[in-house]
Amino acid sequence: MSKLILLGGPPGVGKTTVARLLWHELDDCAWLEGDAVWQIRPFAVTPASKRLAEENITAVLTNYLASGRAHVLFSWVLHRLDLIQRIVAPLADLAEQVNQFTLVA
């Protein structure tokens, strides 16, 4: 089973930079940068677009975890506990361990 690593923090704090470094350091690692799942034009933050992003995130993370990678890394603006819970809850049976880190400036 995989270890799921959540890397959150406010915009511009360095999540992508740290995630990229971790991705290169960890053997057998898949990485999802959250913004990649809702690159839609025209872009608008609406309840529907947020729901779509969360569903896409869960789907990609599910596939990465099911693939048997040792580490699955997810970076995004994880700013609310309810958001984190909605993303992680469907993955509970697939992840051996969940580690959450928040970067601050």
Side-chain angles (χ1 to χ4, degrees):
M1 288 183 77
S2 304
K3 294 180 181 174
L4 177 60
I5 303 165
L6 306 175
L7 184 59
V13 76
K15 296 177 299 297
T16 301
T17 299
V18 171
R20 185 176 295 110
L21 291 168
L22 283 171
W23 185 58
H24 285 286
E25 287 296 318
L26 295 171
D27 289 334
D28 197 21
C29 183
W31 169 31
L32 172 62
E33 203 292 312
D35 286 342
V37 300
W38 67 342
Q39 294 182 6
I40 301 169
R41 280 189 49 207
F43 179 77
V45 179
T46 65
S49 68
K50 287 190 227 180
R51 187 172 47 256
L52 176 62
E54 290 178 26
E55 290 171 357
N56 288 345
I57 287 165
T58 300
V60 172
L61 291 177
T62 296
N63 289 339
Y64 280 160
L65 290 166
S67 76
R69 297 283 170 214
H71 303 94
V72 175
L73 175 61
F74 175 55
S75 58
W76 202 33
V77 179
L78 300 168
H79 61 294
R80 291 190 342 263
L81 183 56
D82 63 309
L83 170 63
I84 296 165
Q85 290 171 337
R86 282 194 309 275
I87 290 169
V88 172
L91 308 173
D93 293 338
L94 296 171
E96 167 189 340
Q97 181 179 344
V98 178
N99 297 296
Q100 179 184 343
F101 300 93
T102 302
L103 299 182
V104 294

